[in-house]
Amino acid sequence: MAQAEGQQHPIGVYFKVWGWLFVLSTFSYLVDYFHFESYLRWTLILVFMFMKAGLIIAVFMHMKWERLALVYALALPTMFLMVFIGLMMFESDNTLLQRVIFFAA
Amino acid sequence: MSQTATSSTGAALAQPEGWDSVIADWSSDQRAFKNIPWGKAMMWIFLLSDTFIFSCFLLSYMTVRMSTTVPWPNSSEIFALSFGGEPIPLILIAIMTFILISSSGTMAMAVRFGYQRNRKVCALLMVATAMFGASFVGMQVFEWTKLIVEEGVRPWGNPYGAAQFGSTFFMITGFHGFHVSIGVIFLLLTARKAWRGDFDNETPGFFTSRKGNYEAVEIMGLYWHFVDLVWVFIFAFFYLW
């Protein structure tokens, strides 16, 4: 066998991540519960979201123990989503503008 | 000819660190993903493509929400639930989130116990994961029923505001719930194999005839964690935003 028995890590790390995911989920729920609004709300939602996603990918999916070649093979195409998001924001702004101009009232 | 060509030297080649390792791994006509079973590499590739599917869904949601002139329904109030007293905002969604996180925790441990060749604990943890997943789907059924029957939300309209709320909601959560359901089925199948000792005895799979291996549990885990991962984004963008 090329790899004796892959991805064995101390069980403590999983419990720690589990706990953190609970804490972060509670935080993001509280963002809604306490009615934070506007930029504070969006920033907090995104921060907690990326922290949770990072923990799941890095530890639960063992990404931090994988070789860099695999990490880049997956991360690089995902990065292009930023371009996609930018395009669609531009597009929807334009659609909204047209609607306001031509379909107002 | 003093030199003879050698083949399949994957392990013999020098393996540099950092950025050099990326170049070395991708060049020189060799296996790119070292130390990774091909089944696992293929699962990662599938998950990458699935990432783009869910991204398309969430992006179309963003596009219709940003471009509508009609106010967007307040998800905090729509998904509120009352246990006799005042309605608690988003409470069911929060419970579903915690359930899915817990299922990811048990799955991660199932992978660990699998590689330790503790087949019974591995199988039981996978069954626990499947139960969490099934209860998640059950709550989603409850959520959909309440929304359709009591609140009158339809893909083409709803009483609260922008009509696109319904179409994006049913498409995104429906596709995610479908992923969870498929995951539950495969979790139970993999748990059965682990319990039977297929991965210890290298029993050939009935479909592929490949030797059974605990890698199957890790590959199953990757899929399951991905389903949890997608929910993190749905929770943030659809329910909280």
Side-chain angles (χ1 to χ4, degrees):
Chain A
M1 270 165 90
Q3 186 187 23
E5 290 288 47
Q7 302 293 2
Q8 286 189 44
H9 308 289
I11 201 156
V13 72
Y14 295 123
F15 278 115
K16 253 179 235 158
V17 169
W18 196 343
W20 270 111
L21 289 174
F22 260 77
V23 171
L24 291 169
S25 295
T26 311
F27 284 166
S28 45
Y29 176 69
L30 291 179
V31 169
D32 181 70
Y33 194 83
F34 290 124
H35 300 291
F36 289 137
E37 289 307 328
S38 190
Y39 284 101
L40 176 64
R41 180 189 188 92
W42 298 327
T43 312
L44 287 176
I45 290 174
L46 287 180
V47 166
F48 295 141
M49 181 189 81
F50 281 120
M51 285 170 85
K52 281 165 70 181
L55 281 175
I56 294 173
I57 296 171
V59 179
F60 279 177
M61 300 173 95
H62 301 136
M63 194 59 119
K64 70 182 254 204
W65 295 288
E66 298 290 6
R67 284 187 66 80
L68 216 51
L70 179 75
V71 177
Y72 278 119
L74 300 166
L76 227 52
T78 313
M79 288 297 166
F80 283 102
L81 283 173
M82 301 306 290
V83 181
F84 200 178
I85 294 170
L87 285 174
M88 294 320 286
M89 286 171 87
F90 188 67
E91 163 77 14
S92 44
D93 277 344
N94 180 54
T95 310
L96 181 62
L97 182 68
Q98 306 299 323
R99 282 177 174 163
V100 170
I101 292 174
F102 295 107
F103 298 102
Chain B
M1 298 294 275
S2 56
Q3 282 188 323
T4 44
T6 51
S7 58
S8 63
T9 52
L13 287 173
Q15 296 191 351
E17 288 298 308
W19 183 243
D20 285 345
S21 75
V22 178
I23 296 164
D25 282 10
W26 278 105
S27 56
S28 65
D29 191 22
Q30 52 165 326
R31 183 176 150 184
F33 300 126
K34 296 173 175 58
N35 306 331
I36 295 179
W38 67 264
K40 189 167 138 188
M42 288 304 109
M43 178 51 88
W44 269 115
I45 305 280
F46 166 73
L47 294 183
L48 182 64
S49 66
D50 228 14
T51 304
F52 277 81
I53 290 182
F54 278 107
S55 300
C56 287
F57 285 172
L58 283 170
L59 271 170
S60 47
Y61 154 69
M62 179 196 81
T63 307
V64 294
R65 183 164 172 175
M66 278 179 76
S67 62
T68 180
T69 49
V70 184
W72 197 260
N74 185 344
S75 54
S76 182
E77 285 165 20
I78 293 174
F79 298 107
L81 207 60
S82 161
F83 299 101
E86 282 284 293
I88 311 168
L90 281 183
I91 188 66
L92 183 68
I93 313 304
I95 295 170
M96 285 162 75
T97 304
F98 288 124
I99 284 183
L100 215 53
I101 287 170
S102 300
S103 78
S104 252
T106 52
M107 186 69 233
M109 284 189 255
V111 175
R112 180 182 175 276
F113 281 104
Y115 278 133
Q116 289 185 340
R117 307 206 153 260
N118 194 338
R119 66 182 173 90
K120 294 217 161 154
V121 178
C122 171
L124 286 175
L125 280 167
M126 269 193 285
V127 171
T129 309
M131 290 303 111
F132 278 130
S135 62
F136 178 90
V137 177
M139 288 187 198
Q140 199 169 37
V141 169
F142 172 80
E143 181 197 16
W144 276 44
T145 312
K146 184 168 170 287
L147 225 56
I148 296 169
V149 178
E150 287 176 32
E151 327 243 337
V153 177
R154 298 286 184 275
W156 52 85
N158 64 75
Y160 305 105
Q164 293 93 331
F165 174 82
S167 50
T168 49
F169 171 78
F170 289 121
M171 185 173 68
I172 293 171
T173 62
F175 213 76
H176 179 263
F178 175 68
H179 272 74
V180 178
S181 309
I182 296 292
V184 168
I185 294 168
F186 274 90
L187 272 170
L188 292 175
L189 290 174
T190 315
R192 177 164 171 262
K193 285 188 164 196
W195 184 266
R196 246 184 356 201
D198 284 13
F199 302 137
D200 296 291
N201 309 326
E202 305 197 331
T203 315
F206 107 102
F207 193 61
T208 59
S209 302
R210 289 173 60 230
K211 283 180 183 171
N213 191 303
Y214 277 106
E215 281 156 16
V217 181
E218 195 192 352
I219 293 168
M220 181 67 240
L222 283 178
Y223 177 84
W224 191 260
H225 296 311
F226 178 77
V227 168
D228 185 23
L229 187 64
V230 170
W231 183 255
V232 170
F233 288 86
I234 296 176
F235 182 58
F237 288 132
F238 199 91
Y239 292 100
L240 291 177
W241 204 262

